[in-house]
Amino acid sequence: LLNYIDVGAQDSEIKRIVALRDNLFVLKEDGVYIVSGTSAPNFSVTLLDNSVNMTAPDTAAILNNELYCLTSQGVATISDTGVGIISRGIENLMNSATNTRVTNYKTASFGLGYDNDRAYHLWLPTKTNDTVATQCYRYNFFNRTWTRFVVSATCGGVNPNDDKLYYGDGENNFIR
């Protein structure tokens, strides 16, 4: 109760808070903010970019010390140096999954970072009546290339013990 910081407009909802190395990134409806400092008396808030707004909170994932997520501008990378859009090449494909006809894409979509694979995985619904994500777009940050897999999933993660990607099957109650 004693230590708090106001970030952005009070009437703007916080979508996600993610820590990267030395900063805390606050993704709100009105933009991306950085909270930095070493202790409560010297914390500061800086607006990084107010033109990019996160649209699907569960798409946020850390990869290669950057934050990847689905925003109003497309798939973005966020770091302390700024925001970059990486999905320009597949914008036409992604727009069909993230337009207003697919009403649940904000809740059905999710993303994850897979460091040893050098890839960000973004699961999205395909059709207007999909209740779960039914396709995965994989971005390789070394090659800067996208690939698409038709696979139904509800969640996912990388197991640090065996360094394998696991995801919850979208059609059955199984982990793949």
Side-chain angles (χ1 to χ4, degrees), residues 4 6 10-12 14 25 31 42 44 53 72-73 95 102 110-111 114 117 134 140 142 146 150 171 173-175:
Y4 71 91
D6 288 325
Q10 290 182 0
D11 62 343
S12 179
I14 293 175
F25 290 83
N42 70 358
S44 65
N53 305 313
S72 57
Q73 302 293 320
N95 284 344
V102 183
F110 67 95
Y114 193 175
D117 188 36
T134 53
N140 181 292
F142 274 157
W146 288 95
V150 178
E171 297 173 11
N173 241 355
F174 295 108
I175 295 176

Side-chain angles (χ1 to χ4, degrees), residues 15 55-59 70 97-98 102-110 125:
K15 297 291 189 176
T55 57
D58 289 336
T59 63
L70 184 59
T98 60
V102 183
T103 54
N104 69 335
Y105 88 87
K106 293 179 181 183
T107 55
S109 302
F110 67 95

Side-chain angles (χ1 to χ4, degrees), residues 4 38 42 51 61 69-70 75 88 95 136 141 154 158 164 167:
Y4 71 91
T38 56
N42 70 358
S51 67
C69 62
L70 184 59
V75 179
R88 183 68 182 119
N95 284 344
C136 175
F141 69 81
T154 57
V158 177
K164 290 184 180 178
Y167 64 92

Side-chain angles (χ1 to χ4, degrees), residues 18-27 32-36 46-49 52 61-69 71 76-86:
V18 179
L20 280 181
R21 204 176 282 164
D22 297 329
N23 299 312
L24 191 66
F25 290 83
V26 181
L27 298 118
V32 179
Y33 296 84
I34 297 177
V35 178
S36 57
T46 307
L47 175 63
L48 182 65
D49 193 321
V52 173
I62 298 171
L63 176 66
N64 195 34
N65 199 41
E66 288 186 312
L67 173 62
Y68 287 68
C69 62
T71 71
T77 59
I78 301 170
S79 68
D80 55 356
T81 59
V83 176
I85 305 302
I86 60 171

Side-chain angles (χ1 to χ4, degrees), residues 107-125:
T107 55
S109 302
F110 67 95
L112 59 92
Y114 193 175
D115 281 307
N116 283 349
D117 188 36
R118 314 295 192 256
Y120 170 66
H121 295 252
L122 175 63
W123 268 270
L124 298 169

Side-chain angles (χ1 to χ4, degrees), residues 123-144:
W123 268 270
L124 298 169
T126 307
K127 300 175 185 167
T128 56
N129 60 346
D130 286 342
T131 56
V132 299
T134 53
Q135 61 183 331
C136 175
Y137 289 94
R138 179 187 172 273
Y139 177 74
N140 181 292
F141 69 81
F142 274 157
N143 300 331
R144 297 183 180 160

